Amino acid sequence: MSKFFLFQDQKKCIGCMACVVACKSRQGLPRGPHPCLVVTVGPQWVGEQPRTAFTFMPCFHCENPWCVAACPTGAMHQRSEDGIVTVDPDLCVGCKTCISACPWGAPQWNPETGKAVKCDLCHDRIEAGLKPACVTVCPTQCLYFGTPDEIPEVRRERYAKARAQEN
Amino acid sequence: MQEQVYSLCFMCSVRCPIKVTVDNGQVQFIQGNSHVPGIGDSICPRGVAGISLVNDTQRVQSPMIRSGPRGSGQWRQVSWHEAYDYIADKLKQITDAYGGRSVLLGERTQLSTHVSKTFLRAIGSPNHFTHDALCKGSLNTACRSLLGYTDGQIGMDYANTKHLVLYGRNIFESIQVKPVRQFSEAMEKGARLTYIDPRVTVTATKAHRYWMIRPGTDLALNYALMHVIINESLYDGDYVDKWVSGFDALCGFVKPYTPDWAEGETGIPAAEIVDFARELASQKPHVIFHCGYRCASHENEIYFRRSIFILNALMGSIETPGGMFFKKGPAEAGGKPVRKLTDQDLPKPSDIRFDKVGTPDFPTPDPNHGVAQMMPQAILNEDPYPLKALFAYRFDPLSSIPDTNYTRQALDALDLIVSIDINYSEIAWYSDVILPESTYLERMDSPQQANGPKPQIFLRQQAVSPRYDTRPGPVILQQLAERMGLGEYFPYTTMEELVDWQLAPTGFERADFKEKGFVAYTDQKLLWDRKTGIKFKTPSGKIELVSSLLEEAGYPSFPAYQSMSRPENGADFRLVVGRCAQHTHISTQNNLYLNELVPHNSLWINAARAEELGIKDNDTVEVASENASGRIQARVTEMIHPDCVFMLHGFGHEVPRAERSYQKGVSDSLLMRNVTDMIGGSPALHETIVSVRNAGEKP
Ligand code: SF4
Ligand code: SF4
Ligand code: SF4
């Protein structure tokens, strides 16, 4: 499991995809690959109200990543210091094994370089004291980046606000 | 070497403050300017995608002169020198024969609009117009008729509101970053959202209350709300006593418009209308009935927009925390505003405007913007006089003015069309000369006088050098004026000189913007006392429900409600258009990143009606109006009212060189009728009836 965690408050997400574009622009990607994705379900009626669910899907940086296990060259690897799963473009031979191994469709094919590309949790940005690109730009600030143990606290705070409004 | 440049976005018209990370002369990342309160690092998808605008190889890369017939796509790449010579010679012939008034200049309002206005005045033409009427001309007139200010002088306090009411103002898809961020925070703290639209949008799916209203009947809903508010004395009595004139006339007028009556018009249950009025009354005055943008819908648009302001007035929410407020200028803070070229002593044109705004034929729209959709008929009928040349400055009459074929016919009658543009837009492609402008990331621009509770000045600072042989618009116009012997009103040769000239009276300097991208006149919030100090600019100094502006022009303040016609034929629908989060009007469809997300438009059609017509989801359908037809993919859904179909604005581009968007989807302007709200000034974009049939079938 990665030391870090990306958390999305679905209630606030408006499905604008600023995160998707930010991720692509940071990685300088052409048309095609999208290391993070916003999956839209709906709109559909929930009781009297129309509702849409937007789910933010980057890489989960799994505890035992199948992509890493499957990669024949060692290009896909998990960093020991923080558990971030990244692909080393120098070692990647573009065999697409990781793409078929990941159940979440996280690694993507970059047709320009012929190599795999994926969410690397913007480790260069994190190391520079910045937030990941997707989190940075989100207009509703529904994305939260932190360590897993911070999440319950964030969640609690947001839930408390919602409760206060109901009462 | 990495540096941070603070600037202003221009992917849409909002001009959000941005921070651009530049590395070795390349834009590396774009985010919000967190020095600006309320924005933080946030930016919308279009803003982030600015990076692919700068680097786009499909934009106009150097001046071009047409070498084949108009629209044929045959171009000669020329030097700036040659382009200027060509234009100047042609213009001289035209103005010698027909006078300066035969020249038109249309643009999207922008930071250097004062430069284009000056350019036209120097030529001796009154015919400057902006895209504003197409967007919100009627709103502008409504606002002036009640408050004495234009809509642009009014802001909303999203952060502190208790209830936001939106009529098709799709706040979460037509994104302005600051309001979205502030209002989503307000919602977390308990603010309520009511959304009214014949179509379910993302905003609808976030709302506490959503009404799928019958298209075009929002005015009926508002009259019923007024009825309940007055009947049950739910209004802010002190505020109304002090600030509202014509209240008695309103009381008499709305008597017959009961909730039961409105239910029949709108389809919204009467009891819900009553509940809604009561809820709002309990939250007043911290409520906002949002007056909208891109609110050019119907021929009676002006009265609908007026009704929104009247509801705000009844709630006492104008110039109130959590309501609307008037934007305060530098004078309120004891400062001097940024100077504009139009502040100079310029020649005054003696002719009336091409659109007749300001004459008894068309007295009430704002002459500051003019009425763009009058252009085709003015050209074709030579009424009021012959028009022979058009400058289209980032304004595209072919996709923005309804009825494209009619507009094209008018353009054919012109002797000269010059586009100043970044992209190969429809109009650029149809021009005689294209003068390529540098993108907003490649140029400094005129300072933005940003009025508000804390008046500020923002500066669009250049982030990178131009990728191609392009120039900033104000420099292009200065050079052209110079070439035509009209240089005296343009006291600059570079953007830096222009900015310095403009800043001179303010006491601020260019260097002051380096660190944060803006300067403030004060650190105090300037609010007027809502009990005693609101300075309405109407003749009576009050909110004029009975409007002197309208009545003096011979229009009633409260005409009887007229029911919106329902499409009669079984295959007929009212065409409704709108926006998505990923595109701006007509200008981003070819952007690499945005095109990937939303490559074309589709036609939303109500599931039950689609079934009657034998149309299934994803079928190709033919949608036809009295003007034209097109083929488009159907999106069959329960999420739209049976009376209308919906499509995104701005698709169906016909320019081969803009490869990504070429012939994707259907252009709404092609289908629409060119009809106008003659009091407010907006085109009535939702007055077109279309028929829809499955394109697989033979008729
Ligand atoms: S930027 Fe934020 S609001 Fe927009 S889709 Fe991404 S997560 Fe959702
Ligand atoms: S790419 Fe897939 S398998 Fe690999 S870490 Fe990410 S989610 Fe897990
Ligand atoms: S953390 Fe970085 S790489 Fe991962 S989805 Fe967000 S922007 Fe993309």
Side-chain angles (χ1 to χ4, degrees), chain B residues 125-172:
Chain B
S125 170
N127 294 322
H128 176 272
F129 63 96
T130 72
H131 141 287
D132 275 48
L134 297 169
C135 178
K136 55 194 181 72
S138 296
L139 168 63
N140 177 320
T141 310
C143 195
R144 284 184 294 122
S145 79
L146 284 155
L147 310 176
Y149 292 87
T150 68
D151 59 297
Q153 291 165 315
I154 288 177
M156 323 272 157
D157 184 7
Y158 297 95
N160 300 304
T161 193
K162 290 190 177 164
H163 201 137
L164 180 62
V165 186
L166 304 171
Y167 302 82
R169 162 71 189 123
N170 188 0
I171 187 174
F172 291 137

Side-chain angles (χ1 to χ4, degrees), chain A residues 58-62 65-68 76 85 98 101-107 118:
Chain A
C59 162
F60 296 114
H61 301 275
C62 309
W66 293 359
C67 58
V68 173
M76 192 65 83
V85 177
C98 58
C102 170
W104 315 107
K118 68 182 291 298

Side-chain angles (χ1 to χ4, degrees), chain B residues 45 82 122 134 159 300-301 352 385 396 412 424 460 492 584 651 666 668:
Chain B
E82 188 180 343
L134 297 169
N300 63 353
E301 193 66 29
I352 62 164
Y385 42 73
D396 196 335
D412 285 340
Y424 279 105
R460 176 173 288 141
Y492 62 94
T584 301
F651 286 85
V666 167
D668 53 341

Side-chain angles (χ1 to χ4, degrees), chain A residues 6 19 22-23 26-27 35-36 56 58 118-122 132-134:
Chain A
L6 264 174
C19 50
C23 178
R26 167 200 164 243
Q27 303 208 36
C36 69
F56 178 72
K118 68 182 291 298
C119 163
D120 58 5
L121 272 181
C122 289
C134 52

Side-chain angles (χ1 to χ4, degrees), chain B residues 385-644:
Chain B
Y385 42 73
L387 296 158
K388 291 293 167 187
L390 169 68
F391 283 82
Y393 186 0
R394 296 210 73 201
F395 166 74
D396 196 335
L398 287 168
S399 337
S400 302
I401 295 181
D403 198 349
T404 306
N405 289 333
Y406 183 53
T407 309
R408 195 176 286 121
Q409 227 181 312
L411 294 180
D412 285 340
L414 294 174
D415 292 343
L416 177 68
I417 308 173
V418 179
S419 284
I420 302 175
D421 214 326
I422 285 167
N423 294 309
Y424 279 105
S425 59
E426 306 296 302
I427 185 65
W429 197 247
Y430 211 69
S431 298
D432 305 320
V433 189
I434 315 176
L435 303 173
E437 195 187 13
S438 307
T439 65
Y440 63 98
L441 294 163
E442 298 164 316
R443 64 172 195 250
M444 178 170 278
D445 213 333
S446 280
Q448 179 192 22
Q449 180 74 56
N451 295 343
K454 287 183 200 165
Q456 295 158 328
I457 308 172
F458 284 82
L459 189 60
R460 176 173 288 141
Q461 307 191 84
Q462 181 179 0
V464 294
S465 51
R467 314 281 92 166
Y468 303 116
D469 188 10
T470 62
R471 295 179 182 177
V475 170
I476 297 175
L477 288 173
Q478 181 272 331
Q479 291 173 342
L480 192 53
E482 195 74 58
R483 169 64 186 77
M484 290 162 57
L486 302 169
E488 57 181 309
Y489 306 112
F490 301 85
Y492 62 94
T493 54
T494 63
M495 285 315 295
E496 285 72 15
E497 285 169 19
L498 174 58
V499 171
D500 290 345
W501 183 88
Q502 287 194 260
L503 286 177
T506 67
F508 296 108
E509 289 174 9
R510 247 189 302 139
D512 299 334
F513 295 83
K514 195 103 193 114
E515 223 165 290
K516 293 180 179 173
F518 71 100
V519 294
Y521 287 93
T522 169
D523 48 14
Q524 301 295 316
K525 259 197 182 178
L526 306 171
L527 274 176
W528 293 327
D529 186 326
R530 70 185 286 273
K531 290 215 167 70
T532 56
I534 312 182
K535 299 167 196 155
F536 294 107
K537 267 210 287 205
T538 49
S540 60
K542 294 190 173 198
I543 303 174
E544 293 189 352
L545 303 192
V546 176
S547 158
S548 45
L549 181 77
L550 294 187
E551 305 268 339
E552 275 162 29
Y555 301 120
S557 299
F558 295 111
Y561 180 84
Q562 284 190 328
S563 188
M564 199 52 64
S565 72
R566 297 189 77 145
E568 297 293 341
N569 184 319
D572 285 355
F573 298 85
R574 194 173 280 280
L575 176 64
V576 171
V577 298
R579 309 258 308 264
C580 65
Q582 292 80 20
H583 286 299
T584 301
H585 302 295
I586 49 177
S587 62
T588 54
Q589 283 76 16
N590 204 52
N591 179 289
L592 178 71
Y593 286 152
L594 301 173
N595 178 278
E596 184 181 19
L597 291 170
V598 181
H600 60 82
N601 59 1
S602 55
L603 190 77
W604 290 48
I605 181 167
N606 176 273
R609 300 246 2 233
E611 198 181 334
E612 283 169 24
L613 296 168
I615 294 165
K616 288 194 290 301
D617 200 26
N618 291 330
D619 278 356
T620 303
V621 294
E622 190 183 76
V623 49
S625 70
E626 60 183 32
N627 295 329
S629 67
R631 282 169 173 244
I632 187 170
Q633 200 177 29
R635 174 164 173 182
V636 174
T637 169
E638 286 174 13
M639 298 294 153
I640 185 164
H641 193 282
D643 281 9
C644 59

Side-chain angles (χ1 to χ4, degrees), chain B residues 16-70:
Chain B
C16 295
I18 51 173
K19 178 169 99 173
V20 187
T21 304
V22 177
D23 201 6
N24 276 320
Q26 298 288 334
V27 177
Q28 210 185 41
F29 198 65
I30 302 172
Q31 66 191 77
N33 174 357
S34 58
H35 294 298
V36 179
I39 290 240
D41 296 327
S42 295
I43 187 85
C44 80
R46 299 158 306 191
V48 194
I51 201 164
S52 36
L53 174 68
V54 202
N55 297 326
D56 195 351
T57 52
Q58 290 182 20
R59 65 181 166 103
V60 193
Q61 302 187 2
S62 63
M64 303 290 242
I65 294 181
R66 173 167 73 82
S67 60
R70 270 195 191 141

Side-chain angles (χ1 to χ4, degrees), chain A residues 10-14 16-18 22 24 29 31-32 44-45 49-52 136-139 141 165, chain B residues 31 41-43 45 48 172 175 181 187-188 190 202 205-208 210 582 593 595-597 638-639:
Chain A
Q10 289 209 0
K11 203 169 174 195
K12 289 184 86 178
C13 177
I14 53 173
C16 68
M17 319 238 178
K24 289 196 71 153
L29 297 178
R31 197 184 180 97
Q44 61 196 35
W45 295 104
Q49 293 297 329
R51 292 287 178 248
T52 311
T136 301
V137 302
C138 175
Q141 294 291 289
Q165 109 184 29
Chain B
Q31 66 191 77
D41 296 327
S42 295
I43 187 85
V48 194
F172 291 137
I175 299 178
R181 186 160 163 156
M187 276 181 94
E188 237 184 331
V202 170
T205 68
K206 297 287 170 186
H208 299 92
Y210 165 66
Q582 292 80 20
Y593 286 152
N595 178 278
E596 184 181 19
L597 291 170
E638 286 174 13
M639 298 294 153

